[in-house]
Amino acid sequence: MREITFTLPAPFPLVNRTTGFGHFTTAKQKNQLRRQIMAAALHLRPPAPFERAKVIVERHSVGTPDKDNLWGSAKRLLDCLTTPALLNVRTEGARQRTKNKRGLGFIIDDAPQYAEIEVIGIKCKRDEQRTVVTIREVLG
């Protein structure tokens, strides 16, 4: 069973800090998170994404958010762990669209049949804030 663990230098941003922005600002924030994950873990990426995985995201921060805010905020991070996939072009001449275009290929998808996801909020001191992501391959 393979396991990948990496640490981001800051806790991932909560939903109430990322909503209300325009499209371009939101895209910029998502790309920044993707670049942080690439810097921390691109050398750890498996040659092929895990078929099934258990993903544990630990958000170490000064305060602990409520559970629904914590889970909703982890979506951007989880989207960066998935594998990009081309979508079917329904109208001839339309441009090709990609599902999970910011995905880095650690897991196939964040759907329940591919990933068991656990998001944990941990209270810590201000200078110990970080995000720890562990991806374990599930066999069978």
Side-chain angles (χ1 to χ4, degrees), residues 93-108:
R95 68 179 176 86
Q96 180 70 56
R97 293 179 44 219
T98 306
K99 177 182 176 186
N100 299 327
K101 68 179 179 181
R102 290 180 181 84
L104 295 171
F106 288 95
I107 58 177
I108 290 180

PDB file of all heavy atoms in Angstrom, residues 93-108:
ATOM      1  N   GLY A  93     -18.358  21.743 -33.204  1.00  0.00           N
ATOM      2  CA  GLY A  93     -17.711  23.041 -33.327  1.00  0.00           C
ATOM      3  C   GLY A  93     -17.463  23.735 -31.998  1.00  0.00           C
ATOM      4  O   GLY A  93     -16.776  24.748 -31.948  1.00  0.00           O
ATOM      5  N   ALA A  94     -18.022  23.192 -30.922  1.00  0.00           N
ATOM      6  CA  ALA A  94     -17.795  23.790 -29.604  1.00  0.00           C
ATOM      7  C   ALA A  94     -16.387  23.442 -29.123  1.00  0.00           C
ATOM      8  O   ALA A  94     -15.805  22.440 -29.522  1.00  0.00           O
ATOM      9  CB  ALA A  94     -18.834  23.274 -28.606  1.00  0.00           C
ATOM     10  N   ARG A  95     -15.853  24.266 -28.243  1.00  0.00           N
ATOM     11  CA  ARG A  95     -14.506  24.006 -27.751  1.00  0.00           C
ATOM     12  C   ARG A  95     -14.507  22.834 -26.772  1.00  0.00           C
ATOM     13  O   ARG A  95     -15.501  22.571 -26.095  1.00  0.00           O
ATOM     14  CB  ARG A  95     -13.907  25.248 -27.100  1.00  0.00           C
ATOM     15  CG  ARG A  95     -14.569  25.649 -25.806  1.00  0.00           C
ATOM     16  CD  ARG A  95     -13.887  26.879 -25.213  1.00  0.00           C
ATOM     17  NE  ARG A  95     -14.575  27.322 -24.036  1.00  0.00           N
ATOM     18  CZ  ARG A  95     -14.365  26.850 -22.811  1.00  0.00           C
ATOM     19  NH1 ARG A  95     -13.484  25.914 -22.607  1.00  0.00           N
ATOM     20  NH2 ARG A  95     -15.050  27.318 -21.791  1.00  0.00           N
ATOM     21  N   GLN A  96     -13.378  22.161 -26.715  1.00  0.00           N
ATOM     22  CA  GLN A  96     -13.212  21.028 -25.803  1.00  0.00           C
ATOM     23  C   GLN A  96     -13.118  21.543 -24.372  1.00  0.00           C
ATOM     24  O   GLN A  96     -12.373  22.477 -24.094  1.00  0.00           O
ATOM     25  CB  GLN A  96     -11.928  20.261 -26.150  1.00  0.00           C
ATOM     26  CG  GLN A  96     -11.666  19.064 -25.276  1.00  0.00           C
ATOM     27  CD  GLN A  96     -12.642  17.934 -25.542  1.00  0.00           C
ATOM     28  OE1 GLN A  96     -12.768  17.481 -26.657  1.00  0.00           O
ATOM     29  NE2 GLN A  96     -13.326  17.499 -24.519  1.00  0.00           N
ATOM     30  N   ARG A  97     -13.876  20.938 -23.464  1.00  0.00           N
ATOM     31  CA  ARG A  97     -13.850  21.324 -22.060  1.00  0.00           C
ATOM     32  C   ARG A  97     -13.192  20.222 -21.248  1.00  0.00           C
ATOM     33  O   ARG A  97     -13.210  19.057 -21.634  1.00  0.00           O
ATOM     34  CB  ARG A  97     -15.263  21.605 -21.569  1.00  0.00           C
ATOM     35  CG  ARG A  97     -15.846  22.840 -22.241  1.00  0.00           C
ATOM     36  CD  ARG A  97     -17.252  23.165 -21.835  1.00  0.00           C
ATOM     37  NE  ARG A  97     -17.457  23.051 -20.416  1.00  0.00           N
ATOM     38  CZ  ARG A  97     -18.572  22.560 -19.869  1.00  0.00           C
ATOM     39  NH1 ARG A  97     -19.546  22.145 -20.619  1.00  0.00           N
ATOM     40  NH2 ARG A  97     -18.697  22.500 -18.574  1.00  0.00           N
ATOM     41  N   THR A  98     -12.619  20.608 -20.112  1.00  0.00           N
ATOM     42  CA  THR A  98     -11.905  19.662 -19.266  1.00  0.00           C
ATOM     43  C   THR A  98     -12.489  19.654 -17.866  1.00  0.00           C
ATOM     44  O   THR A  98     -12.701  20.713 -17.269  1.00  0.00           O
ATOM     45  CB  THR A  98     -10.408  20.045 -19.186  1.00  0.00           C
ATOM     46  OG1 THR A  98      -9.892  20.158 -20.498  1.00  0.00           O
ATOM     47  CG2 THR A  98      -9.627  19.010 -18.418  1.00  0.00           C
ATOM     48  N   LYS A  99     -12.731  18.460 -17.340  1.00  0.00           N
ATOM     49  CA  LYS A  99     -13.173  18.299 -15.961  1.00  0.00           C
ATOM     50  C   LYS A  99     -11.930  18.289 -15.079  1.00  0.00           C
ATOM     51  O   LYS A  99     -10.949  17.633 -15.406  1.00  0.00           O
ATOM     52  CB  LYS A  99     -13.931  16.978 -15.817  1.00  0.00           C
ATOM     53  CG  LYS A  99     -14.380  16.669 -14.415  1.00  0.00           C
ATOM     54  CD  LYS A  99     -15.069  15.320 -14.368  1.00  0.00           C
ATOM     55  CE  LYS A  99     -15.436  14.956 -12.949  1.00  0.00           C
ATOM     56  NZ  LYS A  99     -15.974  13.607 -12.875  1.00  0.00           N
ATOM     57  N   ASN A 100     -11.951  19.022 -13.984  1.00  0.00           N
ATOM     58  CA  ASN A 100     -10.823  19.103 -13.046  1.00  0.00           C
ATOM     59  C   ASN A 100      -9.549  19.583 -13.736  1.00  0.00           C
ATOM     60  O   ASN A 100      -8.491  18.967 -13.627  1.00  0.00           O
ATOM     61  CB  ASN A 100     -10.568  17.746 -12.369  1.00  0.00           C
ATOM     62  CG  ASN A 100     -11.745  17.279 -11.562  1.00  0.00           C
ATOM     63  OD1 ASN A 100     -12.467  18.080 -10.999  1.00  0.00           O
ATOM     64  ND2 ASN A 100     -11.958  15.989 -11.518  1.00  0.00           N
ATOM     65  N   LYS A 101      -9.644  20.699 -14.439  1.00  0.00           N
ATOM     66  CA  LYS A 101      -8.505  21.162 -15.233  1.00  0.00           C
ATOM     67  C   LYS A 101      -7.295  21.552 -14.385  1.00  0.00           C
ATOM     68  O   LYS A 101      -6.189  21.601 -14.890  1.00  0.00           O
ATOM     69  CB  LYS A 101      -8.908  22.314 -16.135  1.00  0.00           C
ATOM     70  CG  LYS A 101      -9.255  23.610 -15.436  1.00  0.00           C
ATOM     71  CD  LYS A 101      -9.620  24.665 -16.447  1.00  0.00           C
ATOM     72  CE  LYS A 101     -10.008  25.967 -15.780  1.00  0.00           C
ATOM     73  NZ  LYS A 101     -10.369  26.961 -16.776  1.00  0.00           N
ATOM     74  N   ARG A 102      -7.481  21.784 -13.107  1.00  0.00           N
ATOM     75  CA  ARG A 102      -6.356  22.108 -12.233  1.00  0.00           C
ATOM     76  C   ARG A 102      -5.816  20.876 -11.506  1.00  0.00           C
ATOM     77  O   ARG A 102      -4.968  20.977 -10.643  1.00  0.00           O
ATOM     78  CB  ARG A 102      -6.769  23.170 -11.220  1.00  0.00           C
ATOM     79  CG  ARG A 102      -6.997  24.512 -11.865  1.00  0.00           C
ATOM     80  CD  ARG A 102      -7.398  25.577 -10.870  1.00  0.00           C
ATOM     81  NE  ARG A 102      -7.634  26.831 -11.559  1.00  0.00           N
ATOM     82  CZ  ARG A 102      -8.776  27.164 -12.156  1.00  0.00           C
ATOM     83  NH1 ARG A 102      -9.784  26.334 -12.139  1.00  0.00           N
ATOM     84  NH2 ARG A 102      -8.904  28.325 -12.753  1.00  0.00           N
ATOM     85  N   GLY A 103      -6.329  19.707 -11.860  1.00  0.00           N
ATOM     86  CA  GLY A 103      -5.910  18.473 -11.200  1.00  0.00           C
ATOM     87  C   GLY A 103      -4.468  18.114 -11.484  1.00  0.00           C
ATOM     88  O   GLY A 103      -3.959  18.330 -12.576  1.00  0.00           O
ATOM     89  N   LEU A 104      -3.809  17.517 -10.485  1.00  0.00           N
ATOM     90  CA  LEU A 104      -2.399  17.134 -10.608  1.00  0.00           C
ATOM     91  C   LEU A 104      -2.200  15.626 -10.737  1.00  0.00           C
ATOM     92  O   LEU A 104      -1.074  15.163 -10.868  1.00  0.00           O
ATOM     93  CB  LEU A 104      -1.618  17.667  -9.398  1.00  0.00           C
ATOM     94  CG  LEU A 104      -1.556  19.194  -9.310  1.00  0.00           C
ATOM     95  CD1 LEU A 104      -0.961  19.629  -7.980  1.00  0.00           C
ATOM     96  CD2 LEU A 104      -0.764  19.758 -10.458  1.00  0.00           C
ATOM     97  N   GLY A 105      -3.272  14.840 -10.662  1.00  0.00           N
ATOM     98  CA  GLY A 105      -3.177  13.410 -10.943  1.00  0.00           C
ATOM     99  C   GLY A 105      -2.764  12.511  -9.789  1.00  0.00           C
ATOM    100  O   GLY A 105      -2.151  11.473 -10.011  1.00  0.00           O
ATOM    101  N   PHE A 106      -3.098  12.879  -8.554  1.00  0.00           N
ATOM    102  CA  PHE A 106      -2.812  11.992  -7.429  1.00  0.00           C
ATOM    103  C   PHE A 106      -3.887  10.909  -7.303  1.00  0.00           C
ATOM    104  O   PHE A 106      -3.590   9.761  -7.016  1.00  0.00           O
ATOM    105  CB  PHE A 106      -2.725  12.782  -6.121  1.00  0.00           C
ATOM    106  CG  PHE A 106      -1.497  13.629  -6.012  1.00  0.00           C
ATOM    107  CD1 PHE A 106      -1.516  14.965  -6.365  1.00  0.00           C
ATOM    108  CD2 PHE A 106      -0.303  13.089  -5.574  1.00  0.00           C
ATOM    109  CE1 PHE A 106      -0.386  15.747  -6.268  1.00  0.00           C
ATOM    110  CE2 PHE A 106       0.839  13.853  -5.472  1.00  0.00           C
ATOM    111  CZ  PHE A 106       0.794  15.194  -5.828  1.00  0.00           C
ATOM    112  N   ILE A 107      -5.150  11.315  -7.481  1.00  0.00           N
ATOM    113  CA  ILE A 107      -6.279  10.383  -7.427  1.00  0.00           C
ATOM    114  C   ILE A 107      -7.107  10.548  -8.702  1.00  0.00           C
ATOM    115  O   ILE A 107      -7.010  11.580  -9.373  1.00  0.00           O
ATOM    116  CB  ILE A 107      -7.158  10.613  -6.169  1.00  0.00           C
ATOM    117  CG1 ILE A 107      -7.702  12.048  -6.128  1.00  0.00           C
ATOM    118  CG2 ILE A 107      -6.379  10.298  -4.903  1.00  0.00           C
ATOM    119  CD1 ILE A 107      -8.634  12.335  -4.975  1.00  0.00           C
ATOM    120  N   ILE A 108      -7.907   9.542  -9.034  1.00  0.00           N
ATOM    121  CA  ILE A 108      -8.721   9.625 -10.257  1.00  0.00           C
ATOM    122  C   ILE A 108      -9.772  10.724 -10.134  1.00  0.00           C
ATOM    123  O   ILE A 108      -9.902  11.580 -10.997  1.00  0.00           O
ATOM    124  CB  ILE A 108      -9.382   8.265 -10.557  1.00  0.00           C
ATOM    125  CG1 ILE A 108      -8.304   7.281 -10.983  1.00  0.00           C
ATOM    126  CG2 ILE A 108     -10.442   8.399 -11.637  1.00  0.00           C
ATOM    127  CD1 ILE A 108      -8.808   5.903 -11.310  1.00  0.00           C
TER     128      ILE A 108
END
